[in-house]
């Protein structure tokens, strides 16, 4: 157990004392992680968003402002074609086709169209994810507006109903009163006795009385005739005596008979007639009473009906008011234009459009994979070739050859390029077989890959010249490759980095190379569109060559001196042993 | 003709003077030995001569031809390098190339035309007796052959001057002889040789001139004889072999007044400034002690011995100062 401890202790000491190894082995991964951590430690996404709209209304501008507040860079377009071209060139990450306004005036949902570069797989996810959040916010905002409108109208309806509730109560009270009054009228009317008197009047008795009186009258006439004869015998001239006697006699007779009829008890007696008339008198009195009573009732009923009339008039007025309010409510509710539940809940819908024809997943990954392979091969090969040369026994002789240092550097570079070109040829062969690559794209792609390979080779060579140990050099190469890969957008999208760092990463040769390959391989861009990026790569080549020359002039001599010192020491030790 | 002149050459590393105002010259056809203790600055001097280092001060002038003016080698180093061959302590060639490929590669880098180069390669392979191995990978041949190949690589462009740093280091005596023989042969072909070595016996064997470096300074330089001359009388030695009486001899010589006794196990070396007197007393001693001497040899001081003496004097002088 102790031995393990001693050995570990020794290993760590050796590692730490070999400065460059310690730097690379211990610090490089830590620095790599720290760098990546710092690079991606942000919740903000730096997307360049192209906004396409036929008219930049206040609504559109407001939405654009809200996006800008979230650190998105907004570029305005009026034509989708221009924006799509800029996506292909990498100037913008997505294009949004926005409606003129976001007001929902009918049951139709507003559609927002995304144009995305589906070849940037992780970016697609990020764009849809982050922008959907923004749209969800906007959609929620619009949804809230619609619901708020509906709710305010409902609130107004409630207030009006409450207000009219008292009217309805009034109607109810008045109606109840009318019912009560009408019941009263009903009972009053029911109480009016309009039944005819039931006594049967025997009007034949009056006839008999008439006949009897007529007979008596004729008798009286006879009596009066006698009287007339008497009067004739009298001194009165004879005519007078006769007329007077007759009339007197007749009248006396009729009177005597009439007296009999009036005093008689028979059926033709006056008593009988009197009884009859008494009976009629009673009936008439009774009828008079009833009619008086009815008259009183009718007077009361009239009053009741007047009240009912008033109540009903008031009820009608209240009902008119309620009807008017209901009309208002109906109008208010009719003014709610959005009634579709899905439009209310999701007033905005998004539609994703792809900027290129749908291809296989491999096609999208191909540019990244190609550059990835070229990068690691070139860096490692560059380092390895330089290390091989440096650690070769012939290095010292080569160093002292009448050959310029740049010739050695250039030959190493060309050796690398040759090997990488062979690999590129193999990759192209495979891509022609398995991917839908056209032959016409290959020369331009080969040129880009050669430029990329040159940059990576020179980086590898620079590492080779910088470090003395092969292991350290290899490790540094891998670390460098990993760093370039991590800040390339292949693993994590560049757009999730802070703006300043992201701008620097656009100069990452991996990013530039991948962008160039993507533009040629997927978007069929022409060489003129790529010239700027190619010039950047060329700039790298020149700078790296100068750096390598400087490093070589300093480090190589130092390395050889160190190597010679080691050999010298070794020889001296051998000599001392011999002695 | 002085093919190489070192004038007031000083080399400093981080303000530490490694070579201090060196002045000496090498004649065309010389085998010039540079000797010195470890760390004295021999290798630095050689690296300076081949242009690996630039001098901090002074200049190294090279005159390949009588009709040409001497040129500072550091002014036009790539041109000068075509005139120089250099072999370091460690063989410097590509182990994964064949012998012929190695020679071809370095020859081409010197800009030699293919036809001429093929001739040179054939000659060199024959000269170094490597013709039969020319198609073998360099890593597959013996150490001796590798040393010869290294020498061939240094001679492929027919240099005017061949500079060798410890050419026999790490070689066994047989291989050492082989290498020294080749160096001599190269010199016979007109190549001026500058050689730095710890093995002062081999320097003495092959060099006609030497320069002694001590603490970055040239303490002596000239022909071997010139360097040794002041010490020839003083530093002669008597080499004795007594076989089974060796121990008695060791005990006996202690009574003699000699400057130094070196016991080499089977032989004994006595150093004395009065060699005649010492020899007389030694004979008396062997008679008295009945010691049978198997061999007795009186030697002039070797270069090694002279070198040690010079270093000792120099250090004493430094201490006294």
């Amino acid at each position: 157990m102790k031995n393990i401890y001693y050995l570990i202790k020794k290993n760590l000491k050796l590692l730490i004392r070999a400065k460059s190894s310690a730097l690379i082995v211990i610090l490089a991964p830590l620095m790599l992680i720290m760098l990546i951590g710092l690079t991606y430690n942000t919740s903000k996404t730096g997307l360049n968003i192209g906004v396409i709209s036929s008219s930049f209304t206040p609504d559109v501008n407001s939405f654009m402002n809200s996006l800008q507040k979230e650190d998105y860079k907004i570029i305005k377009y009026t034509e989708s074609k221009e924006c799509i071209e800029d996506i292909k060139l990498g100037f913008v990450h997505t294009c949004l086709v926005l409606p003129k306004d976001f007001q929902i005036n009918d049951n139709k949902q507003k559609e927002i169209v995304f144009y995305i570069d589906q070849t940037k797989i992780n970016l697609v996810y990020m764009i849809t994810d982050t922008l959907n959040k923004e749209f969800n916010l906007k959609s929620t905002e619009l949804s809230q507006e619609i619901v708020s409108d509906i709710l305010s109208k409902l609130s107004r309806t409630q207030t009006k109903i409450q207000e009219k509730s008292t009217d309805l109560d009034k109607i109810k009270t008045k109606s109840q009163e009318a019912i009560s009054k009408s019941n009263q009228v009903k009972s009053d009317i029911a109480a009016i006795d309009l039944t005819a008197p039931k006594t049967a009047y025997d009007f034949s008795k009056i006839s008999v009385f008439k006949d009897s009186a007529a007979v008596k009258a004729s008798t009286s006439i006879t009596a009066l005739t006698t009287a007339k004869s008497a009067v004739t015998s009298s001194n009165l001239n004879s005519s007078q005596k006769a007329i007077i006697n007759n009339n007197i006699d007749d009248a006396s007779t009729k009177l005597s008979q009439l007296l009999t009829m009036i005093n008689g008890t028979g059926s033709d007696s006056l008593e009988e007639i009197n009884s009859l008339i008494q009976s009629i008198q009673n009936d008439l009195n009774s009828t008079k009473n009833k009619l008086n009573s009815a008259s009183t009732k009718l007077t009361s009923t009239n009053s009741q009906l007047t009240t009912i009339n008033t109540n009903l008039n008031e009820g009608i007025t209240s009902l008119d008011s309620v009807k008017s309010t209901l009309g208002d409510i109906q109008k208010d509710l009719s003014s709610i234009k959005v009634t579709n539940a899905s439009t209310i809940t999701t007033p905005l819908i998004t539609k994703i459009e792809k900027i290129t024809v749908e291809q296989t997943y491999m096609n999208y990954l191909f540019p990244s994979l190609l550059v990835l392979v070229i990068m690691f091969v070139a860096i490692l090969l560059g380092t390895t070739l330089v290390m091989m040369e440096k650690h070769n026994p012939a290095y010292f002789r080569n160093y002292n050859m009448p050959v310029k240092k740049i010739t050695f550097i250039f030959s190493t570079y060309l050796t690398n390029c040759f090997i990488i070109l062979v690999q590129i040829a193999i990759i192209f062969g495979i891509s022609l077989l398995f991917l839908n690559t056209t032959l016409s794209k290959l020369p331009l792609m080969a040129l880009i890959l050669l430029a990329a390979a040159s940059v990576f080779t020179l980086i590898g060579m620079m590492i080779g010249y910088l470090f003395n140990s092969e292991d350290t050099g290899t490790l540094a190469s891998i670390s460098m490759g990993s760093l370039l890969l991590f800040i390339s957008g292949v693993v994590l999208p560049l757009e999730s980095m802070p703006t300043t760092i992201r701008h620097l990463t656009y100069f990452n040769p991996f990013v530039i190379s991948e962008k160039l390959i993507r533009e040629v391989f997927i978007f069929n861009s022409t060489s003129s569109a790529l010239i700027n990026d190619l010039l950047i790569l060329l700039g790298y080549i020149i700078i790296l060559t100068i750096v390598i020359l400087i490093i070589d002039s300093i480090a190589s001599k130092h390395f050889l001196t160190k190597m010679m010192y080691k050999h010298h020491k070794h020889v001296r030790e051998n000599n001392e042993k011999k002695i | 003709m002085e093919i190489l002149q070192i004038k007031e050459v000083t080399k400093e590393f981080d303000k530490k003077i490694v070579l201090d105002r060196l002045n000496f010259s090498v004649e065309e056809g010389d085998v010039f030995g540079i000797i010195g203790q470890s760390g004295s600055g021999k290798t630095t001097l050689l690296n300076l001569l081949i242009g690996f280092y630039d001098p901090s001060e002074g200049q190294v002038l090279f005159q390949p031809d009588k009709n040409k003016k001497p040129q500072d080698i550091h002014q036009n180093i790539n041109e000068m390098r075509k005139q120089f061959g250099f072999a370091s302590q460690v063989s410097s060639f590509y182990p994964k190339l064949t012998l012929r490929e190695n020679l071809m590669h370095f020859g081409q880098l010197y800009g030699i035309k293919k036809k001429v180069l093929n001739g040179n390669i054939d000659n060199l392979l024959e000269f170094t007796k490597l013709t039969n191995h020319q198609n073998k990978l360099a890593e597959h041949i013996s150490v001796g052959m590798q040393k010869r190949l290294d020498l061939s690589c240094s001679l492929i462009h027919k240099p005017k001057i061949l500079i060798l740093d410890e050419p026999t280091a790490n070689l066994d005596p047989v291989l050492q002889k082989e290498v020294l023989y080749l160096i001599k042969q190269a010199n016979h072909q007109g190549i001026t040789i500058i050689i730095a070595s710890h093995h002062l016996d081999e320097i003495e064997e092959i060099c006609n001139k030497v320069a002694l470096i001590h603490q970055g300074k040239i303490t002596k330089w000239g022909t071997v004889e010139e360097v040794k001359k002041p010490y020839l009388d003083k530093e002669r030695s008597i080499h004795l072999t007594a076989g089974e009486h060796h121990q008695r001899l060791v005990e006996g010589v202690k009574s003699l007044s000699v400057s130094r006794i070196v016991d080499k196990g089977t032989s004994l070396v006595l150093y004395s400034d009065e060699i005649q007197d010492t020899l007389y007393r030694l004979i008396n001693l062997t008679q008295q002690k009945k010691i049978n001497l198997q061999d007795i040899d009186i030697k002039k001081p070797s270069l090694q011995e002279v070198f040690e003496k010079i270093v000792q004097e120099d250090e004493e002088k430094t201490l006294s100062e």
Side-chain angles (χ1 to χ4, degrees):
Chain A
M1 201 64 190
K2 267 187 178 176
N3 288 341
I4 292 173
Y5 167 72
Y6 294 141
L7 288 170
I8 293 170
K9 198 174 156 185
K10 178 266 301 175
N11 288 341
L12 289 174
K13 270 185 185 172
L14 291 178
L15 204 62
I16 290 162
R17 282 173 192 171
K19 286 169 194 164
S20 56
S21 297
L23 193 76
I24 292 295
V25 174
I26 299 166
L27 295 180
L30 294 176
M31 284 178 73
L32 203 67
I33 292 296
M34 193 181 76
L35 205 64
I36 292 162
L38 282 173
T39 305
Y40 289 100
N41 185 23
T42 174
S43 57
K44 299 275 183 187
T45 51
L47 293 174
N48 290 349
I49 300 170
V51 175
I52 307 159
S53 184
S54 55
S55 159
F56 287 89
T57 58
D59 260 7
V60 175
N61 286 332
S62 161
F63 182 69
M64 280 171 23
N65 285 340
S66 68
L67 288 176
Q68 269 170 334
K69 277 179 192 167
E70 293 298 317
D71 272 2
Y72 300 118
K73 191 182 174 190
I74 305 296
I75 300 149
K76 290 180 182 177
Y77 294 90
T78 47
E79 292 289 330
S80 57
K81 198 179 167 187
E82 290 171 31
C83 192
I84 290 166
E85 280 307 310
D86 280 356
I87 293 183
K88 289 177 184 175
L89 291 170
F91 297 144
V92 290
H93 301 105
T94 183
C95 292
L96 302 178
V97 183
L98 296 181
K100 277 184 189 175
D101 59 70
F102 290 101
Q103 296 308 311
I104 309 290
N105 297 322
D106 48 26
N107 280 325
K108 281 185 187 169
Q109 290 159 306
K110 295 275 179 182
E111 188 179 71
I112 290 164
V113 182
F114 279 86
Y115 283 100
I116 51 162
D117 180 1
Q118 77 275 27
T119 61
K120 292 181 178 176
I121 295 153
N122 55 5
L123 190 61
V124 168
Y125 162 74
M126 203 183 98
I127 289 170
T128 50
D129 185 50
T130 51
L131 284 186
N132 268 332
K133 276 179 199 163
E134 296 299 324
F135 287 123
N136 285 342
L137 276 174
K138 185 71 188 171
S139 188
T140 308
E141 189 186 309
L142 289 173
S143 183
Q144 278 172 348
E145 269 179 34
I146 296 166
V147 172
S148 161
D149 181 44
I150 293 168
L151 287 175
S152 72
K153 282 174 180 170
L154 286 175
S155 170
R156 281 207 298 276
T157 305
Q158 191 190 16
T159 313
K160 282 178 182 175
I161 288 170
Q162 264 177 351
E163 281 170 12
K164 296 303 160 188
S165 173
T166 51
D167 283 355
L168 289 172
D169 286 343
K170 250 190 233 174
I171 294 167
K172 192 182 168 187
T173 312
K174 297 291 177 190
S175 296
Q176 277 171 343
E177 265 181 54
I179 289 164
S180 161
K181 297 286 180 192
S182 67
N183 282 340
Q184 187 65 41
V185 169
K186 194 179 163 186
S187 80
D188 284 353
I189 289 169
I192 297 170
D193 186 7
L194 295 174
T195 52
K198 290 175 183 175
T199 310
Y201 299 106
D202 189 2
F203 289 102
S204 63
K205 283 178 178 176
I206 296 167
S207 177
V208 169
F209 176 72
K210 188 181 174 184
D211 288 346
S212 177
V215 169
K216 296 304 181 211
S218 356
T219 311
S220 297
I221 293 168
T222 308
L224 281 169
T225 308
T226 312
K228 191 183 172 174
S229 320
V231 165
T232 314
S233 35
S234 70
N235 296 0
L236 295 167
N237 49 41
S238 60
S239 73
Q240 284 173 336
K241 282 176 173 177
I243 293 168
I244 294 167
N245 288 339
N246 285 339
N247 283 332
I248 294 166
D249 292 341
D250 192 24
S252 175
T253 316
K254 281 180 182 180
L255 284 169
S256 132
Q257 283 175 334
L258 189 58
L259 192 65
T260 308
M261 279 172 72
I262 291 169
N263 297 322
T265 54
S267 58
D268 55 351
S269 67
L270 186 63
E271 192 180 339
E272 201 60 35
I273 290 164
N274 195 35
S275 167
L276 186 63
I277 288 166
Q278 191 66 47
S279 179
I280 289 166
Q281 182 70 38
N282 288 339
D283 284 348
L284 282 173
N285 284 339
S286 170
T287 302
K288 191 181 173 185
N289 286 336
K290 284 180 182 175
L291 286 172
N292 282 337
S293 174
S295 174
T296 310
K297 297 292 179 192
L298 281 172
T299 306
S300 164
T301 302
N302 191 31
S303 163
Q304 298 290 349
L305 286 172
T306 305
T307 309
I308 289 168
N309 192 17
T310 309
N311 285 349
L312 288 175
N313 277 332
E314 282 177 11
I316 285 165
T317 310
S318 295
L319 283 172
D320 282 343
S321 169
V322 170
K323 189 186 173 186
S324 158
T325 305
L326 286 174
D328 287 347
I329 290 168
Q330 191 191 11
K331 201 175 165 186
D332 217 9
L333 292 176
S334 300
S335 70
I336 298 172
K337 287 161 189 171
V338 186
T339 53
N340 187 321
S342 61
T343 311
I344 293 168
T345 51
T346 45
L348 287 181
I349 54 166
T350 53
K351 186 182 169 191
I352 294 175
E353 295 278 350
K354 291 163 184 173
I355 61 166
T356 54
V357 181
E358 191 78 27
Q359 292 179 19
T360 61
Y361 192 65
M362 185 60 200
N363 277 58
Y364 300 150
L365 279 180
F366 185 68
S368 304
L369 289 177
L370 192 60
V371 178
L372 188 70
V373 169
I374 296 297
M375 180 184 75
F376 272 106
V377 168
I379 291 181
L380 284 170
L381 203 60
T383 307
T384 308
L385 274 179
V386 172
M387 285 294 178
M388 265 171 63
E389 184 62 27
K390 275 171 78 173
H391 289 269
N392 201 294
Y395 188 51
F396 187 70
R397 187 175 297 285
N398 276 336
Y399 192 89
N400 291 301
M401 281 280 161
V403 178
K404 287 178 181 171
K405 297 289 164 283
I406 197 164
T407 311
F408 285 103
I409 293 167
F410 195 58
S411 64
T412 309
Y413 160 72
L414 286 180
T415 311
N416 253 304
C417 285
F418 173 73
I419 295 166
I420 288 164
L421 276 175
V422 171
Q423 290 179 341
I424 290 171
I426 295 165
I427 292 168
F428 279 175
I430 294 166
S431 74
L432 278 171
L433 275 177
F434 297 105
L435 303 168
N436 297 322
T437 317
T438 55
L439 211 60
S440 60
K441 289 178 187 175
L442 297 186
L444 193 52
M445 279 176 69
L447 176 73
I448 295 164
L449 285 177
L450 187 65
S454 298
V455 174
F456 295 128
T457 298
L458 290 170
I459 290 173
M461 285 170 66
M462 186 182 74
I463 293 168
Y465 283 111
L466 208 57
F467 294 97
N468 288 339
S469 149
E470 278 185 75
D471 297 339
T472 312
T474 308
L475 216 67
S477 301
I478 293 167
S479 299
M480 174 60 83
S482 306
L483 182 67
L484 293 177
L485 175 65
F486 275 117
I487 56 170
S488 69
V490 172
V491 182
L492 293 165
L494 292 178
E495 287 69 20
S496 58
M497 293 178 177
T499 318
T500 43
I501 298 176
R502 189 173 63 247
H503 286 154
L504 288 177
T505 61
Y506 290 145
F507 292 97
N508 177 353
F510 188 104
V511 174
I512 298 168
S513 311
E514 194 218 4
K515 186 181 158 197
L516 286 167
I517 294 290
R518 170 176 279 113
E519 280 172 18
V520 176
F521 184 72
I522 298 173
F523 303 125
N524 297 316
S525 298
T526 55
S527 54
S528 57
L530 315 171
I531 197 78
N532 286 342
D533 288 329
L534 279 170
L535 283 174
I536 294 175
L537 288 182
L538 185 67
Y540 270 122
I541 292 169
I542 294 166
I543 292 166
L544 285 166
T545 308
I546 294 166
V547 170
I548 287 170
L549 281 171
I550 294 168
I551 294 172
D552 180 59
S553 66
I554 300 166
S556 293
K557 190 167 264 187
H558 180 71
F559 175 75
L560 279 169
T561 308
K562 211 170 163 183
M563 200 172 77
M564 281 191 296
Y565 174 76
K566 269 187 187 173
H567 288 305
H568 206 74
K569 199 175 167 187
H570 180 68
V571 170
R572 203 185 305 163
E573 281 166 3
N574 278 352
N575 285 337
E576 279 165 8
K577 273 181 199 168
K578 279 179 190 172
I579 291 163
Chain B
M1 183 193 73
E2 288 180 337
I3 195 166
L4 205 64
Q5 296 171 56
I6 288 86
K7 288 188 171 177
E8 295 292 316
V9 167
T10 300
K11 180 67 187 171
E12 288 179 24
F13 289 111
D14 300 327
K15 293 184 180 175
K16 185 189 172 191
I17 296 171
V18 180
L19 298 176
D20 190 7
R21 303 202 316 190
L22 305 189
N23 283 293
F24 65 92
S25 59
V26 180
E27 297 268 337
E28 190 176 12
D30 275 351
V31 180
F32 195 98
I34 295 170
I35 54 176
Q37 287 177 308
S38 293
S40 59
K42 298 189 299 292
T43 302
T44 306
L45 175 61
L46 293 191
N47 284 329
L48 203 133
L49 294 181
I50 58 165
F52 184 73
Y53 294 136
D54 287 331
S56 306
E57 280 175 36
Q59 54 184 180
V60 180
L61 299 175
F62 173 66
Q63 189 179 12
D65 202 305
K66 276 182 185 175
N67 303 322
K68 287 181 182 173
K69 281 184 178 178
Q71 284 180 292
D72 189 337
I73 63 163
H74 295 99
Q75 295 296 319
N76 191 3
I77 190 66
N78 277 343
E79 267 313 302
M80 293 300 116
R81 274 172 177 163
K82 288 180 183 173
Q83 309 288 340
F84 286 72
F86 181 75
S88 65
Q89 292 173 16
V90 181
S91 299
S92 188
F93 50 76
Y94 288 101
K96 296 284 180 190
L97 295 182
T98 64
L99 277 58
R100 194 173 190 87
E101 283 168 346
N102 264 300
L103 292 168
M104 184 65 81
H105 166 73
F106 293 115
Q108 283 167 340
L109 287 185
Y110 277 111
I112 304 166
K113 286 182 181 170
K114 199 174 179 183
K115 203 174 173 183
V116 179
L117 182 58
N118 275 322
N120 286 0
I121 291 169
D122 290 337
N123 289 340
L124 273 171
L125 287 170
E126 202 174 322
F127 172 65
T128 51
K129 295 174 186 169
L130 290 169
T131 310
N132 294 337
H133 308 280
Q134 61 178 304
N135 293 321
K136 286 181 183 173
L137 290 181
E139 66 184 356
H140 291 161
I141 58 173
S142 67
V143 178
M145 286 181 194
Q146 285 181 345
K147 202 71 203 177
R148 279 184 271 159
L149 171 64
D150 190 47
L151 214 55
S152 302
C153 291
S154 307
L155 294 169
I156 188 69
H157 58 299
K158 294 188 172 174
K160 288 267 180 189
I161 299 175
L162 176 64
I163 297 171
L164 304 164
D165 188 9
E166 305 280 359
T168 56
N170 296 329
L171 297 180
D172 62 44
V174 177
L175 293 178
Q176 282 180 11
K177 276 192 175 178
E178 266 184 27
V179 171
L180 291 177
Y181 173 76
L182 285 175
I183 293 168
K184 274 182 198 170
Q185 292 303 308
N187 180 244
H188 290 159
Q189 287 177 12
I191 298 169
T192 305
I193 312 278
I194 298 172
I195 182 169
S197 178
H198 277 96
H199 300 106
L200 298 194
D201 49 345
E202 68 187 29
I203 291 281
E204 193 172 3
E205 186 187 330
I206 65 163
C207 294
N208 61 327
K209 284 183 185 168
V210 289
L212 272 69
I213 302 184
H214 184 58
Q215 292 174 343
K217 290 179 180 171
I218 298 281
T219 49
K220 298 271 179 195
W221 81 275
T223 61
V224 175
E225 286 72 27
E226 281 171 352
V227 171
K228 285 169 70 174
K229 197 177 177 182
Y231 304 93
L232 282 177
D233 293 333
K234 294 177 185 174
E235 282 294 314
R236 277 192 289 182
S237 56
I238 303 164
H239 294 250
L240 303 166
T241 310
E244 58 184 12
H245 297 147
H246 178 77
Q247 200 53 46
R248 256 195 278 169
L249 181 65
V250 172
E251 293 297 320
V253 293
K254 285 177 181 172
S255 60
L256 300 178
S257 61
V258 291
S259 55
R260 196 152 47 107
I261 300 166
V262 178
D263 185 358
K264 291 187 172 178
T266 55
S267 66
L268 200 66
V269 184
L270 307 179
Y271 294 91
S272 171
D273 294 342
E274 300 296 330
I275 201 79
Q276 290 294 331
D277 184 50
T278 306
L279 192 61
Y280 177 74
R281 280 189 281 153
L282 179 69
I283 290 164
N284 284 340
L285 177 75
T286 54
Q287 284 172 347
Q288 283 170 11
K289 300 271 183 179
K290 292 181 180 176
I291 299 166
N292 290 329
L293 287 174
Q294 291 176 348
D295 191 21
I296 182 163
D297 191 8
I298 301 168
K299 284 185 178 177
K300 289 178 181 177
S302 68
L303 189 60
Q304 171 80 35
E305 288 156 343
V306 170
F307 172 70
E308 284 169 9
K309 188 72 184 170
I310 291 170
V311 168
Q312 190 187 342
E313 283 174 3
D314 201 39
E315 280 173 358
E316 282 168 3
K317 193 180 167 187
T318 311
L319 279 172
S320 66
E321 281 171 1

